[in-house]
Amino acid sequence: MSELRFNVVKNAFKKKAKRVKAPEERPSEYFGELVFNREKMQKYLDADTFNALINCIEGGTALDRITADRVAAGMKTWAMEHGVTHITHWFQPLTEGTAEKHDSFVEYDQRGSITETFDGRSLIQQEPDASSFPNGGIRATFEARGYTAWDPTSPVFIQDDTLCIPTVFIAYTGEALDYKTPLKRALKAVTEAATDVCQLFDPKVKKVYAYLGWEQEYFLVDEDLFAARPDLMLTGRTLMGHASSKNQQLDDHYFGAIPSRVAAFMRELEFAGFRLGIPLKTRHNEAAPNQFELAPIYGEMNLANDQNQLIMNEMNTIARKHGFVVLLHEKPFDGINGSGKHNNWSLGTDTGVGLLSPGKDAKSNLQFITFFVNVLAAVQKHNALLKASIASATNTHRLGANEAPPAIISAFLGRTMTEALRKLMELPSDTPIEIAGKKGTKVGLVEIPEIFIDNTDRNRTSPFAFTGNRFEFRAVGSSANCGGAMATLNAAVADQLVLFKKSVDKELAAGKKLNVAVMDTLKPIIASIIDTVCFDGNGYSEEWQKEAKQRGLDTETNVPEMFKWFTAPQSVEMFKRTGVYTEKELAARNEVKWNTYTKKVQIEARVMGRMAINHIIPAALAYKNRLLSNIQMTKEVFPDEYQTLAATEIDMVKTITKHISDLSKMVDNMVNARKAANKIEDEYKKACAYHDIAESLFAIRRPIDKLEEIVDNDLWPLPKYRELLFIN
Ligand code: ADP
Ligand code: MG
């Protein structure tokens, strides 16, 4: 082993779990202690200010300047008790992760002293010099103003010495420049549309909420090994590396005992999460070696998404304390599972009813079926767009890789629900939808068991699966901001619910009873989805690719092409109707998406080229030289027989030479392709050119991985998969 690699591997292996001081209190005692939640609002604000703020949060009323000043004063007192010295607006631009610009509380009073101030103005609005954030041409650099504005529905929190204020990020002209703004618009649309539909069934419902429960998958890699891999450092994934002899074939990692160093990291992460009010619930090993998952209890979507962003930050910081680096990339290692972020999505009323859970009587079941079917209709209509909403340069490596959902959006219902829908189509519209008793005792004609969770078989190959009381959108990438996919899903569902409500109203106006009006509207919708978007079979099979195409589902696998769905007329109209994106925003965002795609592939291609030339070929040549001198010596000692005696070495030299020459040619071609692509002005066309370059990286990897198999282990300069994946 090269000395450097040997030392790195040895040190990584010897590392022991860091001792984490267990908090003395129970989680319930420190949960949310770093969040300016209701309890703190009550304590630090006077009654009028408190009420005004609650009205603003719940009723969407504006805060006047005086109230805002008082809120800020209360926050300041609370924050300073926690040693806070700075504030920042915390926002989610169209890059990965969140952005912050810290300002200290300090104000100079012009008389040589300073005071700590924080007023309503700096709470509500800031103008970060944000010209470098991606904006797709909405803000020319000379007109670079972008504003961050407080989102009072998401609580203010403390990170280290800084008071963080969750904000939206918008252009001077009002366009959204972030993930939060469209998500909030989509939540408004779906909340209003769903409330309208709910009121058909229960006028007591005043508000519907959209919920999100994310499941964050990730890898941990020892930081020393990470630092010895330029590809991991710069791209977040390994661009090369021969498969380890042992990987996940024994399934011994999945749900296995958590390694002690990792467990220490998880404990500290949970502690941090709890203090930030994130209700973390589940932690376990995932399928691949060194892969793990973290999931909270689901909650209101805007907040849940902020919390996901927050925990991703925390993971990065806390992992380093434990000598790890977190990989949030969707496919850090070839040949083993990648990481996703299942988005468990549902709607629920302010009266506590889950709209995707079967009910207790015929009426609530009709409501359940209504929402269930309309969600599927939305997914059907916008399946290509939904796929575009999860597409990225990184997630593309995971989708369709026979361990993640395929690159086709279909919905899994399970046998019970599929049969129920088929029956409903045939029965008279006034048939009451009964519930089967526990364990499926037949009660009515259409049985919907009460205990659903036990009943839906787990089809892991489906990108959009019904799991008893929610849908799981599983195609979302582990590094993604859920806001992108969730804004699209909520918008599509909102639009469909509005359409549905209109046709029910028409039926009602024609004198039909509610249940008949609803079923008469639902039946043609069921007929249109049941044999198209609904698919319970194996999503990995080759037949499905063909069948999906016949069913009219989108099967595109080229990411830059997928993005075009955002500006397709039916998507633009849907987003306009729901008020989620303007046409200008959609066009601008696509520019950003293509540009980001291009840059990511460009970086990978550069790293690949340089590693091939600076790491791999020199190692291969060094080994080749050893072999050649061996052959040379054999020839000197056995001039007549050396061809036989050194036959293996001669073959090896030939093989190595072939790989080196292939590699160097492919790298040259790739560099030329990049030069040509860089000249293209149009972002879409450029991204398409880079898509081809991305494909070529697979080919370039092949001779490298072959060389890894042959070259003396001593000479190989990079930590191998077996080291990256099994040391923890
Ligand atoms: P699994 O890995 O089996 O899918 P997990 O327990 O890891 O399940 O994660 C399920 C996620 O779904 C959790 O975040 C959970 O809180 C969330 N969830 C459960 N019920 C709902 C619901 N009705 N709406 C939204 N999310 C939900
Ligand atoms: Mg799940």
Side-chain angles (χ1 to χ4, degrees):
M1 223 186 272
S2 76
E3 186 141 335
L4 169 82
R5 191 171 128 237
F6 176 72
N7 285 330
V8 167
V9 169
K10 192 180 67 181
N11 290 340
F13 191 73
K14 276 167 53 182
K15 284 182 198 167
K16 296 269 183 304
K18 191 172 160 253
R19 289 208 16 212
V20 181
K21 215 174 123 243
E24 275 154 31
E25 309 94 13
R26 297 177 201 177
S28 58
E29 286 167 54
Y30 53 81
F31 185 80
E33 78 180 353
L34 297 180
V35 179
F36 196 69
N37 52 19
R38 248 163 228 246
E39 185 194 322
K40 272 125 209 169
M41 288 177 196
Q42 213 144 21
K43 182 165 169 204
Y44 289 89
L45 305 178
D46 63 67
D48 287 348
T49 311
F50 173 80
N51 289 333
L53 183 56
I54 296 295
N55 280 342
C56 163
I57 293 170
E58 284 180 359
T61 53
L63 272 193
D64 60 70
R65 184 59 204 277
I66 294 170
T67 317
D69 279 340
R70 290 189 183 139
V71 173
M75 283 176 181
K76 190 184 90 180
T77 311
W78 169 68
M80 285 177 62
E81 285 172 15
H82 280 83
V84 165
T85 52
H86 285 67
I87 67 148
T88 183
H89 277 199
W90 181 82
F91 56 105
Q92 302 169 26
L94 299 175
T95 51
E96 261 162 46
T98 53
E100 311 171 1
K101 179 187 165 222
H102 296 201
D103 284 327
S104 82
F105 277 150
V106 163
E107 282 297 337
Y108 186 57
D109 71 355
Q110 305 300 335
R111 277 172 282 137
S113 323
I114 53 170
T115 51
E116 280 84 17
T117 53
F118 174 47
D119 60 14
R121 205 187 131 64
S122 20
L123 167 65
I124 289 176
Q125 189 176 312
Q126 268 188 4
E127 190 190 329
D129 174 21
S131 49
S132 299
F133 289 111
N135 63 75
I138 279 179
R139 292 171 303 134
T141 323
F142 60 87
E143 228 302 0
R145 271 190 282 179
Y147 288 101
T148 52
W150 183 31
D151 168 17
T153 60
S154 183
V156 164
F157 59 91
I158 294 172
Q159 249 184 337
D160 295 329
D161 58 0
T162 305
L163 184 67
C164 300
I165 299 161
T167 56
V168 294
F169 180 38
I170 48 178
Y172 180 60
T173 40
E175 286 87 7
L177 297 171
D178 65 350
Y179 285 105
K180 195 187 238 303
T181 309
L183 178 63
K184 284 185 68 80
R185 291 175 185 160
L187 287 169
K188 182 169 183 287
V190 80
T191 291
E192 287 173 3
T195 309
D196 272 359
V197 171
C198 270
Q199 284 178 348
L200 288 172
F201 301 96
D202 181 1
K204 285 203 292 294
V205 171
K206 293 283 171 286
K207 191 165 182 188
V208 170
Y209 293 93
Y211 295 113
L212 169 64
W214 43 262
E215 301 166 48
Q216 179 74 54
E217 291 182 335
Y218 60 97
F219 280 86
L220 287 175
V221 172
D222 180 86
E223 66 184 358
D224 292 334
L225 296 168
F226 174 89
R229 293 280 313 212
D231 46 358
L232 275 181
M233 293 259 286
L234 299 183
T235 73
R237 74 170 174 121
T238 54
L239 296 169
M240 54 196 69
H242 194 279
S244 164
S245 312
K246 173 181 191 277
N247 49 48
Q248 63 188 55
Q249 65 272 66
L250 295 176
D251 287 328
D252 48 355
H253 185 68
Y254 192 51
F255 282 16
I258 297 173
S260 56
R261 241 178 103 196
V262 177
F265 154 76
M266 286 178 172
R267 262 199 299 282
E268 195 166 341
L269 180 62
E270 272 170 12
F271 178 55
F274 282 152
R275 295 182 79 205
L276 285 164
I278 307 174
L280 298 173
K281 176 84 177 163
T282 309
R283 59 178 192 204
H284 60 77
N285 290 3
E286 260 302 326
N290 268 354
Q291 190 189 26
F292 307 92
E293 182 186 296
L294 172 78
I297 298 167
Y298 71 97
E300 188 280 318
M301 184 170 290
N302 177 42
L303 178 58
N305 191 41
D306 282 354
Q307 293 181 336
N308 179 237
Q309 289 296 306
L310 201 48
I311 207 78
M312 285 161 84
N313 284 344
E314 291 289 326
M315 286 166 90
N316 285 326
T317 330
I318 294 172
R320 292 305 298 276
K321 288 197 204 162
H322 292 263
F324 287 121
V325 173
V326 168
L327 305 181
L328 291 169
H329 192 291
E330 284 79 1
K331 192 75 178 173
F333 303 99
D334 191 42
I336 55 171
N337 280 16
S339 301
K341 180 149 56 195
H342 293 181
N343 279 204
N344 292 268
W345 173 93
S346 72
L347 298 171
T349 68
D350 56 352
T351 54
V353 175
L355 294 170
L356 292 162
S357 306
K360 293 205 169 15
D361 52 34
K363 196 166 185 182
S364 54
N365 272 331
L366 188 61
Q367 175 172 279
F368 158 62
I369 291 287
T370 295
F371 279 94
F372 186 75
V373 169
N374 277 301
V375 170
L376 295 170
V379 175
Q380 149 113 340
K381 217 175 280 175
H382 297 287
N383 71 87
L385 178 66
L386 281 165
K387 188 167 71 186
S389 79
I390 53 91
S392 69
T394 51
N395 202 16
T396 182
H397 293 292
R398 164 181 164 259
L399 293 181
N402 259 17
E403 33 94 356
I408 299 167
I409 301 293
S410 64
F412 169 84
L413 312 188
R415 197 166 46 82
T416 321
M417 283 312 298
T418 309
E419 281 172 12
L421 291 191
R422 286 198 195 281
K423 265 194 206 170
L424 280 174
M425 273 196 299
E426 290 157 15
L427 293 168
S429 290
D430 58 354
T431 312
I433 306 174
E434 302 266 4
I435 303 170
K438 286 197 175 146
K439 302 212 174 69
T441 322
K442 288 191 180 161
V443 181
L445 284 165
V446 179
E447 293 90 21
I448 299 173
E450 211 168 352
I451 314 275
F452 238 123
I453 324 264
D454 304 332
N455 237 300
T456 51
D457 16 340
R458 295 246 152 179
N459 183 334
R460 292 280 166 194
T461 71
S462 178
F464 197 78
F466 181 60
T467 47
N469 60 354
R470 62 188 188 271
F471 280 98
E472 262 188 69
F473 193 13
R474 296 183 178 141
V476 184
S478 49
S479 71
N481 185 312
C482 308
M486 289 295 101
T488 306
L489 177 62
N490 288 318
V493 171
D495 197 46
Q496 172 61 30
L497 288 172
V498 169
L499 208 69
F500 169 81
K501 174 75 172 28
K502 265 193 205 140
S503 56
V504 171
D505 284 345
K506 234 202 230 151
E507 304 282 341
L508 289 172
K512 288 187 188 171
K513 282 200 334 207
L514 177 67
N515 58 342
V516 177
V518 168
M519 275 317 299
D520 280 353
T521 309
L522 284 178
K523 278 179 178 177
I525 306 181
I526 298 176
S528 74
I529 55 166
I530 194 81
D531 290 312
T532 47
V533 79
C534 302
F535 174 66
D536 280 7
N538 178 5
Y540 297 163
S541 72
E542 258 174 55
E543 301 88 77
W544 174 232
Q545 308 276 335
K546 284 187 218 125
E547 193 186 325
K549 215 177 202 149
Q550 280 162 6
R551 291 178 176 210
L553 298 174
D554 184 79
T555 56
E556 182 63 67
T557 56
N558 175 321
V559 170
E561 285 298 339
M562 289 181 203
F563 294 151
K564 284 209 137 175
W565 275 98
F566 275 104
T567 50
Q570 78 163 60
S571 315
V572 175
E573 289 310 311
M574 183 278 284
F575 282 129
K576 276 208 272 196
R577 279 195 298 272
T578 49
V580 173
Y581 293 110
T582 63
E583 195 162 3
K584 188 173 172 194
E585 287 172 331
L586 287 166
R589 271 162 195 261
N590 264 6
E591 296 286 300
V592 173
K593 281 170 190 279
W594 284 316
N595 186 265
T596 307
Y597 180 91
T598 294
K599 284 181 181 154
K600 290 233 162 172
V601 178
Q602 192 176 50
I603 293 169
E604 287 191 349
R606 284 181 180 152
V607 173
M608 181 68 135
R610 284 175 200 163
M611 286 176 76
I613 305 302
N614 303 144
H615 289 73
I616 307 305
I617 293 182
L621 285 177
Y623 188 48
K624 182 177 157 180
N625 288 347
R626 266 197 213 168
L627 291 167
L628 282 173
S629 48
N630 181 299
I631 296 164
Q632 177 74 31
M633 284 187 285
T634 314
K635 190 177 173 187
E636 277 165 25
V637 182
F638 306 102
D640 302 329
E641 292 163 89
Y642 86 96
Q643 298 234 7
T644 324
L645 290 174
T648 310
E649 294 89 317
I650 292 171
D651 273 354
M652 284 169 85
V653 167
K654 286 182 186 161
T655 312
I656 291 172
T657 307
K658 171 90 173 64
H659 288 319
I660 292 177
S661 129
D662 287 352
L663 181 56
S664 122
K665 266 187 230 139
M666 282 193 276
V667 169
D668 276 351
N669 290 344
M670 183 262 283
V671 171
N672 288 334
R674 237 164 52 209
K675 279 188 189 146
N678 291 344
K679 293 208 182 86
I680 304 174
E681 295 272 333
D682 181 88
E683 293 288 3
Y684 160 67
K685 288 189 187 141
K686 194 176 194 168
C688 287
Y690 266 95
H691 175 261
D692 295 341
I693 294 171
E695 297 286 306
S696 76
L697 299 187
F698 292 108
I700 298 181
R701 172 181 190 140
R702 233 170 283 135
I704 298 181
D705 292 354
K706 288 272 179 222
L707 284 168
E708 186 185 322
E709 244 185 333
I710 308 170
V711 169
D712 186 341
N713 188 44
D714 266 358
L715 296 171
W716 199 252
L718 303 169
K720 297 186 172 184
Y721 269 28
R722 62 166 189 257
E723 293 147 1
L724 293 168
L725 286 167
F726 289 92
I727 295 179
N728 49 44

